[in-house]
């Protein structure tokens, strides 16, 4: 057996070269073809924005994707544009910074239409057989920044472009951020990020065009495993056709033959976890407009996230506004409990408890002027367009386990507004339901019964009905945290937030008869009361007494409360007294600047220059300059500031005219100078001179300024003149305050103030020397 194996091995070794030659002769007749996979360098892809960060709120920005292929053959690929959600500084919740502007995406090479994914925030262009070696093609689309009350914080986001081909993916992105300018209000609880809903509000430049038929809003209201609800708003009344299906052939069609600007369409009996495409066509008797192609994917059928609706709380100024007094058996209890009456433009908050909170991906609150069925709650269709974005939308943030919070503002337009909660869960379900109604009313208003004009400074005292005692009791901070009594503004309005209850309000004003009105805030109330007062005959005694009470309540009492606050807080006391001293020192500096007719900012340069000039002037030079200052009527003017500047505008000397309008400048070196004549209430007078003069005696006339034309000019002149007059008084008050500070709090605390005020003393001494310089004239 071993011999047989050995023989076979020897034969195979000997025959190997023969087989190799035989195989080689056949190989010459073979051809081999292979495709090398493409890589990133075979494609062109860039993305650019029309603006750099920081971006502004409620602005539309354009984005351009430049793409192409360097390959020598055709290829299939897709380009996907997307925009991300990110977090703002100091907030963990995701923030939506931008939204897609419907209709803004351009078509691609070969007239390829974009496909808009409403749920994933993407735009996709699918290219079949993209031409070889084709580059520098562009795609454009627009994004609109949202509004937010999260002021002075960076809201970050990125906009990306992705090219996906056979075995290759190219990604490009740009990072941007949005900053909402303003001052954030500090609150005891985290604030939400109110931003407008997707295309919810037209800006003034996007006002409805009644002549041109176009899309205003395309909004996804609800998305579940078997149902989708879409809301479409158009610029003018139209009918609507909705084509949808699992492919771009759109196998299903829904018509709504009602001519309207708002359409709510529901696609039912859908398959779960299935991708659907749809396209909208709007038309009227003359025009037709077709939308882009949209896509979405239905989620897996799961238990939907629910809320504890009866435990939702509406608050404003820390006052709970829900009508919890309604009996549990009342059939309208759920809807009426969350019907809230508030003055226009008032901040309010909503606290919402969730049951299966772990499923929540995002929770949002929308304020609309239509119900869930699209029925308008207003007589005016355009009432919503007057709402500020911050009043219309808010993203909820989590306060504690299962409890979420959002802060909104009542619209400035009077009316009834429905509040909707939209929940996006981790499975992709989007559900929306109405959680309450906000009634925006004008505040309590006090008006004249004759001309219906508002009455300012009317005093209002509020009482609340105590069901247990069966009587009205005065509202105190322990009952409701409101100012009581309150006073009307110049419009006659008293903007108060009041919870559901019965109230009694007593109004008095020195010029009107007192009036008491009883009103209630409940599920049927749609407005705060408007109270008319009758003017009474003139009575000086009563008017004086009433004004005394008004001054006591509006001025004296608040000042006393502030003083109590100061005395109870050491830090507040330190701040207040330091501010008072600094204010008087600064006023004295300004007073001196006005006295010598120079800018306060020029004082740091003026002081060393004038001191140096005084030292130089001790030399006994023969040159001098004297003169007389008069007005246009030849009347002499005392206390006129006379400055001598060199050609570099340095102060050489300064003096003032005496009571006869005469001045004298001595010990002047030969050279070229500028003489300045300055006096409060007169036009400044400048001219060049050369020393020595042939006749060193000047007669100069200055012109009085024309009377101030505006109130601001008059106030400015009066303030300047007053400060210059009381300069010495201000210095004295400043030193008195500094000495008092030192006696109470110690010498160390007053050293900076003594140093600062000493500068004023030096300035005053210089001024006095210059003033007395001409008494020997």
């Amino acid at each position: 057996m071993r011999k047989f194996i050995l023989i076979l091995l020897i034969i195979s070794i000997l025959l190997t070269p023969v087989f190799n030659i035989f195989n080689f002769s056949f190989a010459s007749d073979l051809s081999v073809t292979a495709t090398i996979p493409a890589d990133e360098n075979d494609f062109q892809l860039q993305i650019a924005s029309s603006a750099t960060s920081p971006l502004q709120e409620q602005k539309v920005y354009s984005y351009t994707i430049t793409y192409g292929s360097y390959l020598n053959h055709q290829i299939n690929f897709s380009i996907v544009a997307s925009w991300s959600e990110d977090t703002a500084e100091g907030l963990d919740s995701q923030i939506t910074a931008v939204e897609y502007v419907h209709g803004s995406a351009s078509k691609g090479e070969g007239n390829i239409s974009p496909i808009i994914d409403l749920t994933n925030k993407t735009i996709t262009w699918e290219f079949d057989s993209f031409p070889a070696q084709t580059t520098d093609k562009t795609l454009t689309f627009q994004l609109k920044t949202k509004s937010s009350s999260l002021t002075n914080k960076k809201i970050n986001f990125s906009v990306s472009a992705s090219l996906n081909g056979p075995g290759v993916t190219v990604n490009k992105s740009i990072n941007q951020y949005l900053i909402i300018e303003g001052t954030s209000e500090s609150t005891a609880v985290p604030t939400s990020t109110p931003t407008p809903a997707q295309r919810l509000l037209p800006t003034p430049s996007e006002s409805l065009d009644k002549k041109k038929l176009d899309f205003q809003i395309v909004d996804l209201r609800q998305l579940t495993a078997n149902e989708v609800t879409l809301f479409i708003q158009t610029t003018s009344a139209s009918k609507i056709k909705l084509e949808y299906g699992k492919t771009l052939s759109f196998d299903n069609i829904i018509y709504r033959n009602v001519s309207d600007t708002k359409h709510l369409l529901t696609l039912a009996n859908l398959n779960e976890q299935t991708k659907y495409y749809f396209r909208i066509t709007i038309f009227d008797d003359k025009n037709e407009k077709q939308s882009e192609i949209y896509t979405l994917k239905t989620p897996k059928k799961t238990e939907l996230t629910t809320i504890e609706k009866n435990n939702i709380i509406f608050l404003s100024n820390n006052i709970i506004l829900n009508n919890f007094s309604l009996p549990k058996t009342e059939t309208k209890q759920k809807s009426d409990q969350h019907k809230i009456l508030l003055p226009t433009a008032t901040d309010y908050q909503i606290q919402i408890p969730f049951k299966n909170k772990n499923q929540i991906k995002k929770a949002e609150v929308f304020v609309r002027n239509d119900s869930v069925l699209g029925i308008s709650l207003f007589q005016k269709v355009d009432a919503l367009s007057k709402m500020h974005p911050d009043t219309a939308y808010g993203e909820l943030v989590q306060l504690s386990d299962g409890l979420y919070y959002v802060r909104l503002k009542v619209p400035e337009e009077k009316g009834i507004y429905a509040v909707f909660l939209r929940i996006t869960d981790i499975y992709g379900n989007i559900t929306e339901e109405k959680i309450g109604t906000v009634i925006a009313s004008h505040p309590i208003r006090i008006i004249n019964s004759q001309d219906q004009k508002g009455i300012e400074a009317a005093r209002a005292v509020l009482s609340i009905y105590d069901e247990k005692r069966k009587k009205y009791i005065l509202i105190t901070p322990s009952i409701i945290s409101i100012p009581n009594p309150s006073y009307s503004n110049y419009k006659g309005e008293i903007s108060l937030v009041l919870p559901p209850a019965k109230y009694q309000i007593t109004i008095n004003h020195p010029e009107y008869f007192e009036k008491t009105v009883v009103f209630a805030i409940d599920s049927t109330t749609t407005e705060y009361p408007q109270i008319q007062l009758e003017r009474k005959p003139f009575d000086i005694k009563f008017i004086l007494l009433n004004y005394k009470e008004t001054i006591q309540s509006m001025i004296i009492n608040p000042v006393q409360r502030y003083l109590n606050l100061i005395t109870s807080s050491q830090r507040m006391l330190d701040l207040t007294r330091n501010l008072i001293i600094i204010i008087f020192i600064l006023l004295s500096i300004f007073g001196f600047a006005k006295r010598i007719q120079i800018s306060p900012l020029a004082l740091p340069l003026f002081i060393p220059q004038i001191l140096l000039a005084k030292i130089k002037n001790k030399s006994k030079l023969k040159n001098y300059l004297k003169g007389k200052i008069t007005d246009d009527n030849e009347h002499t003017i005392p206390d006129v500031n006379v400055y001598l500047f060199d050609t570099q505008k340095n102060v050489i000397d300064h003096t003032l005219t005496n009571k006869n309008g005469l001045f004298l400048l001595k010990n002047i070196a030969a050279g070229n100078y500028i003489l300045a004549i300055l006096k409060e209430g007169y036009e400044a007078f400048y001219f060049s001179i050369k020393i020595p003069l042939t006749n060193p005696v000047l007669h100069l006339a200055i012109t009085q300024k024309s009377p101030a034309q505006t109130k601001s000019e008059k106030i400015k002149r009066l303030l300047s003149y007053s400060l210059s007059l009381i300069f010495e008084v201000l210095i004295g008050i400043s030193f008195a305050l500094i000495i008092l500070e030192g006696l109470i709090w110690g010498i160390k605390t007053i050293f900076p103030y003594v140093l600062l005020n000493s500068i004023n003393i030096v300035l005053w001494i210089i001024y006095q020397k210059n003033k007395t310089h001409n008494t020997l004239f």
Side-chain angles (χ1 to χ4, degrees):
M1 185 66 179
R2 290 181 179 177
K3 290 181 179 180
F4 179 75
I5 294 172
L6 183 61
I7 291 169
L8 289 175
L9 182 62
I10 293 171
I11 292 172
S12 65
I13 293 172
L14 292 174
L15 291 177
T16 298
V18 177
F19 284 118
N20 289 339
I21 294 171
F22 184 77
N23 290 334
F24 181 76
S25 66
F26 281 100
S28 62
D29 296 330
L30 298 176
S31 63
V32 179
T33 60
T35 301
I36 302 174
D39 61 21
E40 292 186 15
N41 297 323
D42 294 323
F43 298 96
Q44 177 189 24
L45 185 69
Q46 291 94 29
I47 183 169
S49 172
S50 62
T52 57
S53 297
L55 305 184
Q56 299 179 14
E57 63 175 322
Q58 290 291 291
K59 297 290 185 181
V60 174
Y61 296 97
S62 299
Y63 294 84
T64 302
I65 299 173
T66 305
Y67 67 103
S69 170
Y70 301 113
L71 295 171
N72 294 321
H73 56 83
Q74 295 180 342
I75 190 170
N76 301 337
F77 63 81
S78 64
I79 291 180
V80 180
S82 61
W83 47 100
S84 71
E85 293 182 345
D86 212 328
T87 56
E89 295 175 326
L91 193 65
D92 294 332
S93 303
Q94 284 188 325
I95 307 302
T96 303
V98 291
E99 61 186 2
Y100 172 66
V101 178
H102 293 283
S104 66
S106 64
K107 291 187 176 182
E109 175 68 13
N111 206 31
I112 299 299
S113 297
I115 299 176
I116 317 301
D117 191 327
L118 293 177
T119 55
N120 296 317
K121 297 181 177 64
T122 62
I123 309 170
T124 302
W125 294 267
E126 296 279 355
F127 296 96
D128 295 329
S129 302
F130 189 80
Q133 293 187 338
T134 301
T135 58
D136 295 328
K137 297 297 180 180
T138 58
L139 301 167
T140 60
F141 61 96
Q142 292 179 330
L143 298 177
K144 183 178 179 180
T145 54
K146 292 191 172 186
S147 180
S148 173
S149 64
L150 192 69
T151 52
N152 298 326
K153 291 185 182 293
K154 290 173 63 176
I155 302 175
N156 304 291
F157 68 96
S158 62
V159 182
S160 305
S162 175
L163 187 150
N164 303 300
V168 63
T169 299
V170 185
N171 294 308
K172 299 290 183 180
S173 64
I174 51 177
N175 296 319
Q176 295 183 296
Y177 63 90
L178 168 67
I179 294 183
I180 311 298
E181 296 182 356
T183 304
S184 299
E185 297 180 5
S186 58
T187 57
V189 291
T191 59
S192 68
T193 311
T195 51
Q198 183 176 14
R199 300 290 293 164
L200 183 63
L201 292 176
T203 59
S205 61
E206 299 173 317
S207 59
L208 303 184
D209 187 348
K210 301 298 181 181
K211 297 181 181 179
K212 183 179 179 182
L213 178 63
D214 205 347
F215 291 92
Q216 183 77 7
I217 301 171
V218 178
D219 191 17
L220 181 62
R221 291 283 174 91
Q222 188 153 305
L223 173 64
T224 60
N226 305 116
E227 194 172 273
V228 171
T229 301
L230 296 168
F231 176 75
I232 299 100
Q233 183 171 330
T234 56
T235 54
S236 59
S238 66
K239 299 177 183 179
I240 194 165
K241 177 180 75 171
L242 176 66
E243 304 169 272
Y244 72 98
K246 298 177 184 178
T247 65
L248 293 175
S249 60
F250 304 114
D251 300 325
N252 304 286
I253 299 177
I254 295 177
Y255 282 95
R256 187 167 189 258
N257 289 318
V258 178
S259 185
D260 199 352
T261 57
K262 297 179 181 180
H263 304 269
L264 199 68
L265 301 176
T266 298
L267 314 183
N269 302 319
L270 304 179
N271 298 328
E272 62 178 302
Q273 292 186 297
T274 303
K275 190 172 186 178
Y276 286 88
Y277 298 90
F278 66 91
R279 182 173 59 197
I280 308 162
T281 304
I282 54 177
F283 56 93
D284 55 22
D285 296 337
K286 298 180 180 180
N287 302 296
E288 180 176 303
K289 177 79 174 181
Q290 192 173 75
S291 75
E292 301 160 310
I293 298 173
Y294 296 94
T295 185
L296 52 82
K297 186 177 180 180
T298 55
K300 181 181 178 181
K301 194 168 186 177
T302 57
E303 181 184 359
L304 299 177
T305 305
T306 57
I307 60 173
E308 299 176 18
K309 195 167 182 179
N310 288 339
N311 294 325
I312 294 175
I313 298 176
F314 284 72
L315 307 99
S316 182
N317 295 339
N318 295 321
I319 298 171
I320 296 177
L321 302 173
N322 300 66
N323 194 358
F324 290 114
S325 62
L326 288 171
K328 297 293 182 182
T329 57
E330 188 171 339
T331 56
K332 296 183 180 180
Q333 187 265 339
K334 286 186 178 180
S335 60
D336 289 346
Q337 177 178 315
H338 303 312
K339 186 180 286 186
I340 310 302
L341 177 68
L342 283 169
T344 55
T346 301
D347 290 324
Y348 67 102
Q349 304 84 38
I350 309 174
Q351 291 184 7
I352 306 173
F354 289 85
K355 291 180 180 178
N356 38 357
K357 58 187 179 301
N358 294 329
Q359 296 182 6
I360 298 174
K361 180 181 178 182
K362 194 173 187 179
E364 307 159 283
V365 168
F366 295 84
V367 181
R368 301 195 186 103
N369 70 337
D370 57 348
S371 70
V372 74
L373 298 177
I375 301 172
S376 177
L377 298 175
F378 291 91
Q379 294 180 352
K380 292 185 178 180
V381 177
D382 64 344
L384 187 64
S385 65
K386 298 180 181 180
M387 293 170 61
H388 188 274
D390 285 354
T391 71
Y393 176 82
E395 294 184 14
L396 280 79
V397 294
Q398 190 168 357
L399 287 179
S400 59
D401 193 22
L403 182 62
Y404 284 73
Y405 166 92
V406 66
R407 186 183 66 196
L408 296 168
K409 179 176 284 189
V410 179
E412 296 181 1
E413 182 74 8
K414 179 183 172 183
I416 303 173
Y417 297 83
V419 183
F420 293 86
L421 172 66
R422 180 186 292 180
I423 303 170
T424 304
D425 66 20
I426 57 177
Y427 306 110
N429 293 287
I430 300 174
T431 57
E432 184 173 290
E433 65 176 311
K434 184 178 176 181
I435 60 171
T437 301
V438 172
I439 303 172
S441 167
H442 291 311
I444 297 172
R445 192 159 182 256
I446 317 300
I447 61 173
N448 188 326
S449 61
Q450 296 177 346
D451 58 13
Q452 304 297 304
K453 292 183 178 180
I455 301 172
E456 186 176 4
R459 183 175 182 267
V461 179
L462 270 164
S463 300
I464 189 169
Y465 188 74
D466 188 335
E467 293 286 352
K468 187 175 182 180
R469 303 185 209 176
K470 302 299 180 184
K471 67 176 183 178
Y472 288 96
I473 60 173
L474 185 68
I475 295 176
T476 62
S478 61
I479 300 175
I480 305 176
S481 181
I482 60 171
N484 194 27
S486 298
Y487 294 86
S488 59
N489 62 15
Y490 70 99
K491 295 180 180 179
E493 296 176 345
I494 303 175
S495 187
L496 296 174
V497 175
L498 299 173
K502 295 179 182 178
Y503 296 93
Q504 177 180 280
I505 184 170
T506 300
I507 310 294
N508 57 61
H509 188 279
E511 300 175 14
Y512 296 84
F513 288 107
E514 182 180 292
K515 189 171 186 178
T516 298
V517 173
V518 174
F519 66 97
I521 294 179
D522 54 31
S523 59
T524 63
T525 309
T526 58
E527 282 189 315
Y528 284 98
Q530 182 170 280
I531 303 168
Q532 299 186 25
L533 299 184
E534 296 286 342
R535 188 180 290 274
K536 62 186 177 182
F538 183 78
D539 186 346
I540 186 65
K541 181 179 179 181
F542 181 80
I543 290 176
L544 291 175
L545 289 174
N546 207 296
Y547 274 120
K548 178 183 176 182
E549 184 180 350
T550 302
I551 293 171
Q552 178 73 30
S553 300
M554 297 186 67
I555 300 176
I556 298 177
N557 290 344
V559 169
Q560 287 178 344
R561 286 194 293 269
Y562 179 73
L563 291 176
N564 292 335
L565 176 64
I566 292 175
T567 54
S568 61
S569 171
Q570 184 62 44
R571 291 180 62 186
M572 184 66 74
L573 183 61
D574 292 342
L575 176 63
T576 302
R577 71 171 191 270
N578 290 336
L579 280 176
I580 291 173
I581 294 174
I582 291 172
I583 287 171
F584 271 98
I585 292 175
L586 291 177
L587 284 175
S588 60
I589 292 174
F590 273 89
F592 179 76
K594 293 300 178 182
R595 178 76 64 85
I596 62 174
Q597 291 295 292
I598 66 170
S599 168
L601 299 177
L603 279 178
L605 292 174
F606 171 78
I607 295 170
Q609 287 179 6
I610 197 65
L611 290 175
L612 183 63
K614 292 298 180 185
I615 295 172
K616 289 182 178 180
N617 286 346
K618 288 184 178 180
S619 59
K620 300 299 182 180
L621 297 174
K622 294 182 179 180
N623 299 319
Y624 67 92
L625 185 64
K626 61 182 179 179
K628 184 178 182 180
I629 309 297
T630 63
D631 59 17
D632 293 334
N633 297 321
E634 295 295 325
H635 297 141
T636 58
I637 308 174
D639 294 330
V640 178
N641 288 282
V642 180
Y643 285 95
L644 189 66
F645 297 94
D646 61 17
T647 54
Q648 284 74 40
K649 298 184 179 180
N650 296 314
V651 178
I652 301 301
D653 204 353
H654 168 254
T655 189
L656 292 100
T657 58
N658 61 15
K659 62 181 180 180
N660 298 316
L662 302 173
F663 70 89
L664 174 64
L665 297 172
K666 298 187 298 184
N667 303 320
I668 306 172
N672 294 316
Y673 297 93
I674 298 172
L675 190 68
I677 311 299
L678 305 174
K679 173 70 175 177
E680 182 70 31
Y682 290 83
E683 300 289 347
F685 186 79
Y686 300 90
F687 70 97
S688 301
I689 60 173
K690 185 175 182 180
I691 302 295
L693 289 171
T694 55
N695 181 17
V697 180
L698 303 174
H699 185 182
L700 304 172
I702 56 177
T703 304
Q704 195 166 6
K705 288 182 178 179
S706 58
Q709 299 298 321
T710 63
K711 287 185 178 180
S712 60
E713 289 179 349
K714 292 178 181 178
I715 293 172
K716 186 177 178 181
R717 288 190 185 184
L718 179 62
L719 183 61
S720 299
Y721 182 69
S722 301
L723 284 175
S724 66
L725 282 180
I726 61 172
F727 168 61
E728 289 85 358
V729 176
L730 292 171
I731 293 179
I733 293 175
S734 300
F735 261 112
L737 292 172
I738 293 170
I739 293 170
L740 183 62
E741 168 93 357
L743 293 174
I744 298 175
W745 306 105
I747 301 300
K748 293 182 180 179
T749 62
I750 65 171
F751 179 75
Y753 304 124
V754 171
L755 183 63
L756 190 61
N757 213 39
S758 296
I759 297 174
N760 283 335
I761 297 297
V762 172
L763 294 173
W764 181 75
I765 293 173
I766 294 172
Y767 174 80
Q768 290 299 322
K769 284 189 174 181
N770 290 342
K771 188 174 182 181
T772 58
H773 178 72
N774 290 318
T775 56
L776 301 176
F777 198 97

